[in-house]
Amino acid sequence: MANITLVDDDENIVASVSLALESHGHKVTAYHDGASGLEALETTPPDLAILDVKMPRMDGMEVLRRLRQTSQIPVIMLTSKDEEIDEILGFNLGADDYIHKPFSQRLLIERVKALLRRTGADGGEVETAAEAAGKAIKRGKLSMDPARHESTWEGKPVKLTVTEFLLLQALAQRPGFVKSRDSLMDAAYDDQVYVDDRTIDSHVKRMRKKFRVVDPEFDAIETLYGVGYRYRES
């Protein structure tokens, strides 16, 4: 169904995760250190990458940071650290999902399925209203083409991850209307995947940074503290 690159230095995890994914029809290519994994991801981009945080030669955070300079492929991070700061850092760097070790194979499979559905890499349709209708979005200086997963600001391209794109799409579809964090979670995540408020906040923070690279005055995503976010059409 999908080509998946797995980067983890734990041979037992590589073996068990590869077996579980392959049993569901996916093709898995595994690497045991960050440097080799990054080279493979840049040379032959897969449909999805799974990165361990702690690895030799280059840790998963650095792999993710460098990968996001050139690619927006979906990324799931694996970590044995139960520290909030690591998760926040991962999302700020552009991770799409996070799974803490130890984890069940069933949980991983469901997260992979959910992320592949959101990208359309499972062979189905991306589960968004605008995608289903085949409609591009034009809101002031913002243009979004869901079919091509492209977004621009004043004609300048802004590269967004899958999650960031879906969040912005949900906001831009109804400018001026407030979206709670719960409703944004529903728009960007499968209903079997739980994320907390700070995950949405991290994605929004990263989106703002990307748009401010092309327009330092960007302020279209407005925070309503204690309520949620809304898109302000200029």
Side-chain angles (χ1 to χ4, degrees):
M1 292 176 64
N3 293 315
I4 298 175
T5 295
L6 170 62
V7 190
D8 196 310
D9 64 326
D10 188 320
E11 294 185 2
N12 291 327
I13 288 181
V14 168
S16 61
V17 169
S18 296
L19 181 62
L21 292 171
E22 289 169 351
S23 70
H24 282 75
H26 303 300
K27 179 182 178 181
V28 181
T29 306
Y31 299 88
H32 294 86
D33 67 83
S36 299
L38 177 62
E39 182 180 0
L41 289 167
E42 292 178 332
T43 303
T44 310
D47 297 309
L48 183 146
I50 301 174
L51 306 177
D52 186 26
V53 170
K54 188 176 181 181
M55 291 185 292
R57 296 185 63 200
M58 186 184 298
D59 66 28
M61 293 296 188
E62 182 62 15
V63 173
L64 178 61
R65 186 187 71 80
R66 296 193 188 189
L67 181 65
R68 283 294 179 246
Q69 294 175 0
T70 59
S71 174
Q72 302 304 316
I73 63 173
V75 174
I76 296 176
M77 300 296 293
L78 304 178
T79 181
S80 57
K81 300 177 181 178
D82 191 17
E83 297 180 12
E84 180 178 308
I85 188 65
D86 294 310
E87 189 168 339
I88 292 174
L89 176 59
F91 283 124
N92 283 339
L93 288 174
D96 292 282
D97 204 349
Y98 226 99
I99 299 178
H100 293 281
K101 299 178 182 178
F103 55 86
S104 69
Q105 300 303 332
R106 181 179 178 183
L107 171 65
L108 177 65
I109 293 299
E110 289 302 323
R111 295 290 184 92
V112 167
K113 285 170 58 179
L115 195 47
L116 290 174
R117 266 199 302 272
R118 288 155 54 198
T119 64
D122 63 346
E125 296 294 327
V126 177
E127 298 179 323
T128 60
E131 181 81 22
K135 295 179 180 178
I137 297 174
K138 176 67 176 177
R139 297 287 184 264
K141 301 176 182 179
L142 174 69
S143 295
M144 300 184 73
D145 185 345
R148 294 181 174 84
H149 189 77
E150 294 176 349
S151 58
T152 63
W153 184 261
E154 294 185 310
K156 300 174 183 177
V158 180
K159 293 184 178 180
L160 302 176
T161 66
V162 173
T163 305
E164 292 163 355
F165 192 93
L166 293 175
L167 290 173
L168 181 58
Q169 185 177 2
L171 290 167
Q173 282 175 339
R174 302 190 70 189
F177 286 80
V178 179
K179 285 278 189 178
S180 68
R181 288 171 176 81
D182 285 344
S183 65
L184 289 174
M185 289 177 197
D186 291 340
Y189 287 89
D190 185 90
D191 59 8
Q192 296 180 8
V193 177
Y194 171 77
V195 296
D196 58 21
D197 289 353
R198 69 177 182 272
T199 299
I200 299 298
D201 295 341
S202 294
H203 286 307
V204 171
K205 181 180 178 181
R206 183 171 172 81
M207 271 196 292
R208 285 176 173 150
K209 286 183 178 179
K210 289 183 175 181
F211 278 95
R212 284 170 183 163
V213 169
V214 300
D215 180 4
E217 303 300 319
F218 175 82
D219 61 355
I221 302 175
E222 188 177 5
T223 302
L224 284 84
Y225 292 99
V227 181
Y229 297 94
R230 68 183 170 194
Y231 183 85
R232 181 169 57 190
E233 186 173 0
S234 56

